[in-house]
Structures are given as structure tokens and as C-alpha cells.
Amino acid sequence: MSEKIQNVLEEVGSKLENPPANKDALVKLLKQAATSLSELEQSPSKELLKSMQPFVNAIVKPELLKHHDKEVKLLLATNTCEILRVTAPEAPYDDDVLKDIFRLIVSTFSGLRDTKGPSYGRRVTILETVAKYKSCIVMLDLECDDLINEMFTTFFTVVSDGHSETVITSMKTIMVVLLEESEDINQDLLFIILSVLGRDKKAITMAARKLAMNVIGQCAGKLEPGIKNFIVKSMSGEEASPSVSQIDYHEIIYDIYRCAPQALAGIIPYLSGELLTDKLDVRLKAVKLVGDLFSIPGCSIPDTFHPIFLDFLKRLTDRAVVVRMSVLEHVKLCMLSNPSRSESSQLISALCDRLLDYNESIRQKVVAVVSDIACHKLSSISPNTLKLVADRLRDKSLHVKKYTMERLSDIYRTCCTKHMSDCYDWIPGRILRCFYDKDFRSDTVEYILCMFLFPAGFSVNDKVRTWVRLFSKFDKVEIKALEKILEQKQRTTFYLTKRYSFSFTIQESDDLEVKKKVIICFRYMSHCFTDSTKAELDFLLLHQLKDANVWKILTKLLDPVTSSLQSSKSRDELLKIVGQKHPLYGFLNILSIKCSYILFDKDYVKDILLEVDLQKSSRNSLLTQSCMNILVILASFSPLLFSGTEKDLIHLLEDDNEAIKEGVLHVLAKSDGVIREQLGESSKLGLFLERLCLEGSRRLAKYAVLALAAITKDDGLKSLSVLYKKLVDLLEKKTHLPSVLQSLGCIAQTAMPVFETQETKIQSFIKKDILGCSEKTSDKTKESWDDRTELCSLKIYGIKTLVKSYLPVKDTHLRVGIGDLIKVLSNILSFGEISKDVESRRVDKAHLKLASAKAILRLSSNWDEKIPVDVFCLTLRTSELGFPEVKRLFLRKVHQYIKDRSLNPKYACAFLLDLGSLPSVQEEKSEENRNLNDIIHMCQQGKTRQVSVQSDGKFLAVHPENILPYLIHALAHHPSFPSLDECKDYKAYEPIYRKLYLFLSMLTHGNEDGKPGDSLKKEEVISVLSILESIRSSEDATDTNISKNSYAICDLCFLIVKRLAQKQEDLQEPLVHVHVPQGLYTEKDKNEEKEKEDKKHATKGQTWLGEASVVAHFESLNMEANESVASINIEDDMLKDFEEADDNEVPLGKILERLKAKITKERKLVKNGSISPAVQNSSYIDNNNDDDIFGMVREVDMNNSGVSNVHEITKSDEKHKRKRISNQTISVSVAKCQKSMVLSVFDNIKMSDLEDKLDLEDHVHTKEHGNTDGSDLEKPKRHVDTDVDNSKSVSLKKRKRVSVAGLAKVGESQHTTDLIGRRIKVWWPKDKEFYEGLVKSYDHQKKKHVVLYNDGDVEVLRLDKERWVLQNKSSKSPRPKKGSVNKKTKVVDNFKKNNESSDIYPSSMVRGKRTLRKNTKERRKKLEYLEVERTYDLDNMTDSEHEHEDLTFSKVNNLDSDEDASDKQRAKDAENRLPNDSDSENVADVSESIEEYDDESDDMPLGVWKSRVRKSDESK
């Protein structure tokens, strides 16, 4: 074989020495050679190589290599390729020839595009040979970079999906070999590879893109540096080449991430930078890229990209909405691509955070994303996450709310399709709750329930089972919402049917009365729509519509026989006839839902009746009860659906199950005679119902009476008359009394003419033989609430029967004799029995009182004007009985009735009348407060919407503030109300104050949006004060002696209103005349009224509770604490503190507070003459000098002799200034005896040892918004210089600031340019401290001052809105002069010395600043300069300036107009105590010595502090 090949090659070689001119001959020779070479193995024998050498040389002659024919070139490439294979690894040619050969070979690859051409196979052979034997490596040795680039380009150009896997693999192998064997990757070659990458490139095939990605995937390590360099330059814009700039490096990153994410490790910081850049377009593109990377299906996020992932999630908080929207879309793609990915929890958590985004489009997008993910795979979204999404049903945006409802229905529909709805049954309930949203009502809710809640393929049976399961999980609110929807559907159906009945009359005549009736029908129906005004106009347009098909379809929808499926088809036909462009299209879309039976039809009722048997057989009582509940609701609002179900109902009625029997009776009672004709005169059913009325349980008896009346033709009069006689006979025999009494009460309500025939006999029997029966009391010391006797139960049933007799269904106002019943109830409320002579157990009396109170509540709905005031008060005090169950049950019933609008809101006073009852547990107290707040909020909504509720005369109790007169009257008549003349103890009135505060503070929560407020608005203040003034101008209608109690409560209310008022100016607004309830108050005599007719504003109280000392006490109470917490007895606490063990320290602040309180109290006792003369002469009371508190402190200190305890003194906190002035304002409120204002305690304090050195009064300015309670003030410390030789050390600790009342506003005249150059101290609330600074300038337009603080900080403030202290009243800070260099140096040295001794610089002290801190060195320089300037100010003060140095005082409401002579004298004495000229030189030194110990004095014992101050004075 080898010889034949050898001969052929020799022959061909000889002939090619002189190539034939004929192409065909040349082609023939080349084919023979190619065939022979293909049969040779690699590395043949030397003899064969030698014999074929002529052919090897001849084949590469220039005239052959440069031949123009394509076929010849292809054969030459084939032969040369085989020669390279055979002769490998030796090169048969020199470099130039090899370059020509490879150029020839590469040129053949372009023909690979034509897969069906005749030469395709030969080209594939060349490709496979080069790939298999890696002959392409020679190209690298020859440095054929351009040829390699051309080959790569050719491969990417010709590759296609039509190529076999072998061809594509060969191309990839050649490219990978060249890249791996290259020392450095040519940038042009890298560009060729990267230019193929990217999505949506029309010039690049998908096969080429895959080929490039495969090559990069195998050569990632080799290409990584070049890829990083290219991408980084592209990001920075350094690549200026047009061809390079056309490449989207984001697309390159995307494809490289798919094939070799490790090659992108170097660009992660740069990509993170793009995510955080300020350029929106760059940031948006980066977000899109990263989102696409993480959304690749089946691709997990590498650990190296986790920082990028976190930065990507942070873009959900980007300031640009478009960026956040893009992130949300890509998060959805990430979850849809792989719902079970490890990062899913982070993604869902990030989505939930955006549910509260300020942009409504973002919130809606989040709802869409979560819903799409849940519909794709339910298990990927937890029910708790969906509940967060469901909260958007309360979103402030209507679009978001509607969209959320639609998507929740989509999710639930998906759950039903996949039979996974058990965990998501809460969704329909949340949709039903939207009925109470004013933006939804029934329009949207019913539409969603009918059209989108269940899958289209759900059968009626499937829907019924789902509804039964849902009803078992619905709460009262959700069931009530469904009832309201069905009620509106019933109303719409009724009036639309009525209008249709008028249509024939309208056609025959133009009667105006008929047209008016039609308009009235439209008006009633329009109230069932969200926009009633627009709905009424649409009804009028519909009325004018002449298309008979529209009315024909609507009539068909009104027919209860029409099934839900038929209704849906008819509805679609109706909308198709109208067309989407018709103005009534949207209206008819809703109307066709409301008037049809799509939600529930007759098939539903039949299936529910069958479901009852199924659930009963499976012994599932919960679902059985749920079935009966649905039937009762449908019977109440759609009784026509029960036509034809009579046999099924009778069958269920014969069942032994009480729940089923009760439900069927209820259905019969609600059927409204629909099944009456089908039943006919069924004596069997009538006898069965009578037996239930006589012998059944009370619940069965109740519904049996109603059912008996419903199924008979004459509304039950005949059948009930027969039953009535039997009941009266059983009543006399005293058999089955509970059921008999129940049946009698129901007959009284439904058939009053029947009941009146023997009413006297029944009432007499109940009062005498039931209520008048006594029972011996037991000897039990403890009785449980559940230990109610049978006789007590019978009495309660008797009371209910009597009450029902005065609450008939019709003609209630025609009943007479209500006074006798109210008298009976009044006796029971008073004694627990109908009379004092009747004996019973304590628990039975409590039950009877509760039953009577509930009876009054029920009667109040129709007989409120007949209920006397004393009975009203007795009813309110029911909650004060000894059993906590009474209070809980009674208050819940009050809340329920008021919420149902069947009870006057004045009964809400019961929530505040537990003054004498046992303290409630925290859970009960929170429930009571929540229910009371709920009532007030409902009244506030009624006030806004002008809801009509029963009222007393002209006084509308529907307004929440109008409950106040009833509350004041009830409190004033309360037996536990203290006697104003005998009880002067503040503590006794605290419970009343707290109750009033609770009620009035809830008025701030009564906004329409439901958001809590923090103060009373102007309208509320005027309204409350007007009511108080009207009560003050009236007398108690029942007992004039109680009027003073009402006036005292009004005084307390005024204090609370003043405390809660949003602006103190509102208290001075003119009041309006209010008609208080006439049954509670009567007008005073005309002479007394005439004296007050000129009064236009709220005045001071008319009792001693309006005095200033009382004001100070109540305004210092902490109202945030629980109401049950009583105030501390001041005197007892003071004595207890003084009697503590020797190792306990008494804070100085507590001593001052206790002694001051005792002095005030004893002074009042002296005034009233109720204190002994010995006590009057005590040192604690000094009428001339007021309160020498520091003298008393010294006395206490000297009396407590013993070994002094010197404790280690700690350094002050960083938040305290080192050079802080010690004379800060004391905010303890002390009232003057005959004034309504409150002065600072230091207005009346005499300084003993420091009075000639420093006055400790500051001028306090409060914020404009009136923190009159002083809630953000801090009580400063006072320093006393007394002997401490044998004193017990008393700790001086920081104390909370006591509330200050009556702080006036600062006039604007004090905040102009007059303050420029003066030193002030500004209060910092977070630090609770004053900081000193210099006022530099004032902006008249903005009304702001520029303040330079001592630590170098600069702040721009509106001083009329800040609290600040004026340091130098009369002088401005001058600039430093040359003559004071020595003083400057001395102060600076001292300052530096102090700083060196402490580790904390003043500039580094922590403050709650609003400005950024400056450089420490610069701040220290400023501090030194300011310190020198401050010292210079002190040295150059004039005498007049020293008189006002550090002079402060507390400005009080109406202080200038009301201050008496004694106050002025004390102010004058204070000025006389200021230092004179001789002392002015030592003021700075004294202040400095005090300041030196001020920082340490916060927690320093009193004795140590006084000792230090004294030693400092001696050294000075």
C-alpha cells in the first residue's frame, strides 16, 4: 500500500514540476495527491518522506499557491494541510512558505457557510485536521497575528446552527488552542471575540455568540486581564476608537457572566461604583445589567458577586423612581427564574420594605411583583408576606388599594386552582373589610367577589364548599360587611323592580306623580354606589334609554330563577350591546352585578342544604354551623332563593341537632312568607312550632314564634292567639317558665294586639310571683359570678319579657305605662331586687342589676326621653359593682349598642364612672380605653358627616364633646365625690382629674383619618369651654346643692383644656352659647345671670379647685402613667425620707420639694383657721418673708448630726459644659394664694450666704408652641453655703423638671437687633442643658439670629421659637482692648491648665447639635479667644451692668397685670441683694469658683458640696 502511495506521489510530484496549463488536469493531479496523503499516517518512514519530497516542493510553487481558481486553491489547501500533518512535528517549509500555506488554509474556511456546496466536505476535513493535530500553533511561531484575527473573524461569520457539532467543536478547539498557547492576547483578537457578544445583535448569529462564550469559558484565566482592561477602559470612556465605542460593555459583561463569571472578579468594584454613581443613566444601566445577571435561569449568584447583590438591593431605596422600578422588575425576574434560590428570603424582605415607599407607583409595583411571584409558585411567598401586601388595602392611594384587591383575588384564585386555599382563606375576609372603606363600598368589593375570586372552571359545589369553609373563619366585621353588601343588593333589586313596574304607567300617561316615584327609586338606589350623585345621574340617563333589549336583560337579571351562569352570559350580552364607548358602560357594569344573583343563586341554596347533611354525617359541628349561618343570611336578604326548598327545610327541622334546628327556624322566620304558599295550611308544622314555643329551649322558642308568624297568612295573629292562651296557662302553672317567658316576650314584639289581651295578668305574675320571690342567703363568704340561682335566672327572664313588651316591632309610641317598668328597673338598680324586703344572695343581686342596666340601654333606643336622670345615673354606675364581670359585660354592651347607633353616646360616661370600683387589670383597662376611644372616633365621624342620632332637645350628644355635660353631671352626683367644704386634700380629686383628662385627651384622637393628635384644636377648645361656661351659668336640675360639685369639675376641666390646648391664645377666644340638657341643668336666676351677661371669655373657677396652688399640683401630675396609680402623699413621703437610715442620702431637690409643699399646705391651714397657734409660730411658716427654704435646709442639715459620709466625687458627664454658669432656672411651680398665675419658686427664696455674691434667677423664654407644662425642662441645682461640720452628707442628684403652668409667650420686640452683641444661653432639649453663646447678627426678613457658641459652633435660630436665657441684661460684649493683655494671658493660661488636667476638651463634649463639628484646633483657638473676651467683659462692667448680671426670672401668664405689691417688694429686695461696686471685681472669681465645682455637683452629697464652696470662699 505504501509503495502505491509512494509511486502516486512521485508521479504527481514530477508532473507538477511543470504544472499543466489545463485546469482539469491540474485538479486531477491534486485530487490524486490529496487522496494518497490522506491515507498516510503521521511521521512515515524516511524513505517515504524522501520519495515524496519532490511533490512537497512542487506543491508550494508560487504559481500554484497564487492560482486564481477556487477549486485549485481548495485542493492545494487540502494537500498542504495533509503535508503539515504527515511531516509534523518537523516543518517542511520555511517561514514565508508556511505563511502562504496558512493563508491559503484560512481562506478555505470562509466556504464553510455553504453547508450544501460540493466542496463543503473537503473544507470540513481541512478544519478537522487543523483542529485535531493543532497545526495552527505554527501560526503563533510565525507571528501571523493578522491571519489569526482573520481566522477568528471567519469562524464567527460562518458558524451557524446548521453546522454539525463536529464543525463547531473544531472551530472552538482551534481558537482555544491559539488563545492558550499565546503568551499575550492581542487586543485586536480580544476585540474580535468580545464584539460577538451581546444580545439582540442583528449582524451576529446566536451560534457565533455561543461559540464566543464557549471559547471564553475555556480560556477565562487567559482572557481575564484583557477583559478587565477592556471593560474598565470602556467604563471610563478611554477607548476612543469608533468601533470599540459601539460595543456595549454591559452586554459583554452579561455574556461573560453566563460562561465565565470568575473572569469578572476584577470589575466588581467598578460595577459597584456604577450602581452608586450620581449619574442617573449610568446607574440605571448598571441596575439593569446586574438585574439581568441575577435573573439568568439556572444560574446561582457566585460568592464573589455577593457585594454586588447587596448593592443591587440597596438601589431599592434609590432617590430616582425609575431606578427603583427597574430593581423591582429584575427582582421579580430573579424570583421567577429560580423561586427556591438561596437569596429568595433577602429578595422578599427587600420587597416588603418597599411596601411603604412614598411613591405610589413603587408601592403598586411591589404589590404586582409579590403577586406575580405568588401566582407563579405559592410556596415561594409566605402567608405573612402576603398579609403585608394586603395591608396596602388601606393605602392612601386609591389606585394602589384597587390594584391590591385585584391581585389578592388573583392569588386566591390561583390557590383554589391548585387546591391550596386553606392557608389563604383570610384573603376574602380582607377583601370584605374593604366595604367599610369610603373609596370602595360595595361597588368594587362585590365586583371582585363575583368575577375574580374563584377560577372560571369552579363548579357551584366547589364554590359552596369554599364559602362554607370561609364562613367558619370570618369574624363579625367580615360577616357584617357581607350582610351590608347583600342588603344593598336587596335594596337595588327591590327599587329596580319597582321602577320596572312603573314603566307601563309611564308609557300610557305622563303622570307627574309616577315620575316622582321613579326619581325617588333612583335616589334610593344611588345610595348603594360609591358616588351617589353620579349614580343618580346615570339612573336618569338609563331611564331615558330607549333600547328595549337593555331593559329586557335587566329584567332577566332580576329574576331569582336565573342561575349565576345565565346571569353572567346575560351581563356580557348587555355590555356588548351598550359598548365600551357608551357613557353608561361603567355604570351598567356595576349595576348588572348588583341586581343579579351571580354571587349567590338558587343552586347555591340547594347545595348548601345538601352540605348540611354531609357535614352533620361527618360530625363537623363547625362547618355545620357555618352552613346554617349562610342560610340565615341569605334568607334575610334574598328570601326568594328559598322558593322550592320547603321539604328540605322541614326535613332539617326534624333533626335532633339543636344548631340545625335553630338555623332552620331562623330561616323560616326570615323567609318573609316566601315559602308560605308552598307550605299551605300545614297543621303538622304549626303544631311542631307550638311545641317548641312551649317546651323547647329559649333560643328555639324565640325563633319558633317568629317562624310561626312568618308562615301563616294573617301575620300569625290566629295561630299566635292560640299559642298565647296556652302560654298563659303554663305561666300560671309555673311549668317551662324560661321558654314560656321567652315566647311571651316574642309575641309582645310581633303581635302586640294579641299580647294586650292578657298583659295585666302577665305583668302582675312576673312582678309578684317571680320578681317578688325571696330566697334565703347562703353563709358563703365568697361567691362566684357563675353561682347564679335558678330563681335569679327566672327574674332576669321576667325582666326581658317586660322590656320586650315595650319594644314592639310596630307602633312603639302608642304603648303606655312605661313609667311603671322604669320604676321597677330603678328599684332593682338601687337594691338589687324589686324592693328592699326581697332577700337574695349578693351575686344574684349583681346579676339582676346588670340585667336591669341592659334593659335601660335597650329601652333608651325608643324611650330615652322617658328615662329619668336618676335612673340614667344609676345605670351608669352599674360598672362599679363588686364583680369585675359586671363591668366588663356592661361596658361591652354599651360599646356595642353605640356602635350600632341604637344608643345615645351619652352612655359612654359609664367608661369613666368606676371611681369606687376595684382597679381593673391592665388588659381590661386597655379594652375599656380602646372602646371609649372607638366611640369618640365614631361620634367625630358622625359630626363630620352630620349623622342623625337621637338627641335631648337641642343638645346633640352625637358630637363627642357634647358627652361632657352628662359626664360632669354623673361625676357630680357620684356618691364618692368629695365634699368641697370638708375635704381639702388634693389627692381626693385626682381620680376625677384623671378621668376627665382621659376623656378630653381622646378628643384629640377623633380626627376623620383616625390618626391620633397631641392637642386640642381651636374649634374643640371653644366648644368645650362654651359647654363649661354654660354649666357654670346653670344649676343642677335635680339638686341645687350639687351645683358646686359641677362647678368644681368645670374648674378641673378648664385646667385640662388649658394643658391640652394647641395654642394658649385659643383660651381667650369668644365663647358661643350652648344649650345644655334641660333634664340635667336649669338656668340660674335672672339677677345672677345679668351679672355675667357681659362675660365673653372663659374665667377662673368658682371653687377653691381653681386656685393657683391647686393648679400647680394638678399640672405637675404625670398623666402618662396608668390611671390606677395614685399620687404620693407629700407629707408622708417627706417624713419617710427624713427617717431613712444613716447610710442613705436624701437628695437636696427632694428636700426642697417636700418642704415647699408642706409650707404651702400649712399656710392654707392657717388661712382656714384649722391649725394650732404653736404650729403657726413654727419656723416653717413665715408670712412676711414667705419661704426661707435654704434656711430650712440648713436646719435639717444641722439637726441630722452624726459622722459625715464623704463620698468619692466623680467627674461630670461629657454633656456638661466646663464653664457652665450655675445659676439656671428653677422650674418648680409654687402658687400664690390669691392669684391664678404660678411664679417660680426662687421668686420667694432668700439666699443666706451667697445672696451678696450671685443672684440665681434666670429669665426664661419658652417656645412659641407653648410647652406650658414644662415637659422638656430640667430642674437646675442650687448651691448652699452652710456649715457641714457634723452634717450627714446628702446627695444632690439630677432631678426631673416639675411642670410649669402659665408661661407666657415672648414678644417679638425682645428678638430684634437689641440682642446683637449680647450673651445668651440657649436650651438644648436633647442634652437638657443650656449652652452659652454670643448673638452676632439678626435677619429682619427671616426673623433669625446668628448665635456663636463658646465652643466655636455657629447656629441660626428663631429665638421666638426657642428657650433661651439672657446673660447680660444691659450690656453688649465689647471688643478686647489693648490694656488688658495681662488679664488675657492669665485667663488663657488658666484655661489651658484646666484643659491639661482634664482629658475632655470643651469642644469635644457631646451635644445634640444640628451642625457639623469643626476642626479641633480651630475650635480651641476660638475657645481661648472667647474666654479672654468673656473675662474682659467681666472686668470692664459698669455698676449698672453688675446689677443685671445673671439676672433671670420666670415670666408667667398675665404677670405684668396681676402682680401684687408683695411680689414687687420681693423683686426690689432681690435687686438690693446684688453685689455693689466693691464686690464687682470679685464677681468673676466667685462665679469661676462656683463653676469649678458645678460640674461635679450633680451627684455630690450636700455636705461635701457646701464644704467645697466654703473653702473656696475662704481661699478667695
Side-chain angles (χ1 to χ4, degrees), residues 21 37 178 262 530 697 700 719 778 813 837 874 892 900 1359:
L37 288 173
L178 290 174
Q262 68 274 13
T530 304
S697 64
L700 292 179
S719 57
S778 61
H813 62 283
D837 301 332
L874 286 174
R892 285 179 180 176
D900 294 339
L1359 292 181

Side-chain angles (χ1 to χ4, degrees), residues 1108-1362:
S1109 58
V1110 184
V1111 172
H1113 171 76
F1114 283 114
E1115 292 191 346
S1116 64
L1117 293 178
N1118 180 16
M1119 301 311 299
E1120 296 178 358
N1122 190 280
E1123 289 182 61
S1124 61
V1125 180
S1127 62
I1128 302 174
N1129 191 309
I1130 297 177
E1131 184 175 357
D1132 295 342
D1133 278 1
M1134 180 181 66
L1135 296 176
K1136 180 179 177 181
D1137 291 337
F1138 288 167
E1139 293 171 359
E1140 287 178 338
D1142 292 344
D1143 55 346
N1144 293 332
E1145 297 179 347
V1146 182
L1148 177 60
K1150 184 174 289 188
I1151 297 175
L1152 298 179
E1153 182 180 355
R1154 299 297 186 254
L1155 292 177
K1156 188 65 180 176
K1158 183 175 181 181
I1159 292 167
T1160 304
K1161 183 175 180 180
E1162 291 182 351
R1163 185 189 296 116
K1164 191 170 189 62
L1165 294 176
V1166 171
K1167 178 181 178 181
N1168 296 333
S1170 58
I1171 190 170
S1172 62
V1175 178
Q1176 291 185 27
N1177 297 330
S1178 173
S1179 60
Y1180 289 110
I1181 301 177
D1182 187 355
N1183 293 329
N1184 295 328
N1185 298 326
D1186 277 1
D1187 312 321
D1188 190 359
I1189 288 185
F1190 278 95
M1192 289 184 286
V1193 172
R1194 289 194 298 272
E1195 180 179 349
V1196 172
D1197 196 29
M1198 294 298 294
N1199 292 336
N1200 294 332
S1201 59
V1203 181
S1204 63
N1205 243 347
V1206 181
H1207 296 272
E1208 181 181 355
I1209 302 173
T1210 59
K1211 292 291 182 180
S1212 64
D1213 189 89
E1214 284 188 356
K1215 294 183 179 179
H1216 295 133
K1217 286 281 187 177
R1218 190 180 72 80
K1219 299 296 287 182
R1220 183 188 58 192
I1221 305 299
S1222 63
N1223 45 348
Q1224 296 183 2
T1225 303
I1226 294 294
S1227 58
V1228 181
S1229 301
V1230 179
K1232 295 170 65 177
C1233 295
Q1234 299 178 355
K1235 297 293 179 182
S1236 61
M1237 77 288 292
V1238 183
L1239 295 181
S1240 174
V1241 66
F1242 279 88
D1243 290 341
N1244 300 324
I1245 293 179
K1246 290 186 177 181
M1247 301 296 293
S1248 56
D1249 296 328
L1250 295 179
E1251 62 186 30
D1252 57 341
K1253 299 176 182 179
L1254 188 64
D1255 190 355
L1256 299 180
E1257 293 181 349
D1258 288 345
H1259 186 96
V1260 178
H1261 298 263
T1262 59
K1263 292 185 178 181
E1264 181 180 359
H1265 297 293
N1267 287 336
T1268 57
D1269 60 344
S1271 58
D1272 59 345
L1273 303 178
E1274 178 187 9
K1275 186 185 292 184
K1277 280 67 65 175
R1278 295 301 300 256
H1279 308 310
V1280 187
D1281 185 13
T1282 57
D1283 296 335
V1284 292
D1285 295 338
N1286 297 318
S1287 65
K1288 184 185 298 184
S1289 66
V1290 182
S1291 65
L1292 181 64
K1293 298 182 179 180
K1294 272 189 172 182
R1295 294 166 291 162
K1296 291 185 179 179
R1297 182 244 319 95
V1298 180
S1299 302
V1300 179
L1303 291 178
K1305 295 186 177 180
V1306 180
E1308 291 190 3
S1309 60
Q1310 296 172 325
H1311 301 310
T1312 57
T1313 55
D1314 296 341
L1315 292 175
I1316 297 177
R1318 294 183 179 176
R1319 290 193 169 276
I1320 63 173
K1321 293 166 71 176
V1322 182
W1323 178 256
W1324 289 68
K1326 291 184 179 180
D1327 293 352
K1328 296 184 179 180
E1329 190 166 352
F1330 286 98
Y1331 292 108
E1332 185 178 351
L1334 181 67
V1335 180
K1336 303 297 292 184
S1337 62
Y1338 176 71
D1339 188 341
H1340 290 274
Q1341 295 180 351
K1342 298 181 179 180
K1343 299 182 179 180
K1344 293 184 178 180
H1345 291 79
V1346 179
V1347 180
L1348 174 64
Y1349 290 98
N1350 289 0
D1351 59 359
D1353 286 342
V1354 178
E1355 192 171 21
V1356 181
L1357 300 172
R1358 281 195 63 168
L1359 292 181
D1360 58 344
K1361 296 183 180 294
E1362 299 289 338

Side-chain angles (χ1 to χ4, degrees), residues 1086-1100:
K1086 295 183 178 180
N1087 294 333
E1088 295 181 9
E1089 190 66 26
K1090 186 176 181 181
E1091 297 176 359
K1092 299 192 175 200
E1093 62 182 4
D1094 296 331
K1095 186 182 300 181
K1096 296 182 179 180
H1097 302 289
T1099 59
K1100 234 174 17 169

Side-chain angles (χ1 to χ4, degrees), residues 1045-1088:
N1045 292 355
S1046 300
Y1047 303 153
I1049 298 173
C1050 289
D1051 292 336
L1052 296 179
C1053 289
F1054 179 77
L1055 298 181
I1056 297 170
V1057 172
K1058 184 178 180 182
R1059 186 170 183 173
L1060 294 176
Q1062 193 174 38
K1063 296 180 180 179
Q1064 293 300 309
E1065 293 90 340
D1066 297 341
L1067 300 174
Q1068 308 300 326
E1069 291 292 330
L1071 305 181
V1072 296
H1073 180 66
V1074 176
H1075 293 280
V1076 292
Q1078 296 180 359
L1080 305 182
Y1081 307 97
T1082 58
E1083 294 184 0
K1084 290 184 179 181
D1085 295 338
K1086 295 183 178 180
N1087 294 333
E1088 295 181 9

Side-chain angles (χ1 to χ4, degrees), residues 912-924:
L912 301 166
L913 286 188
D914 57 348
L915 303 178
S917 64
L918 297 175
S920 305
V921 295
Q922 189 62 31
E923 294 181 359
E924 293 181 358

Side-chain angles (χ1 to χ4, degrees), residues 104 277 398 500 662 995 999 1015 1019 1086 1112 1313 1351 1379:
L104 182 63
T277 185
L398 177 60
Y500 184 73
E662 179 184 331
K995 293 295 181 182
F999 172 76
S1015 57
E1019 297 79 6
K1086 295 183 178 180
T1313 55
D1351 59 359

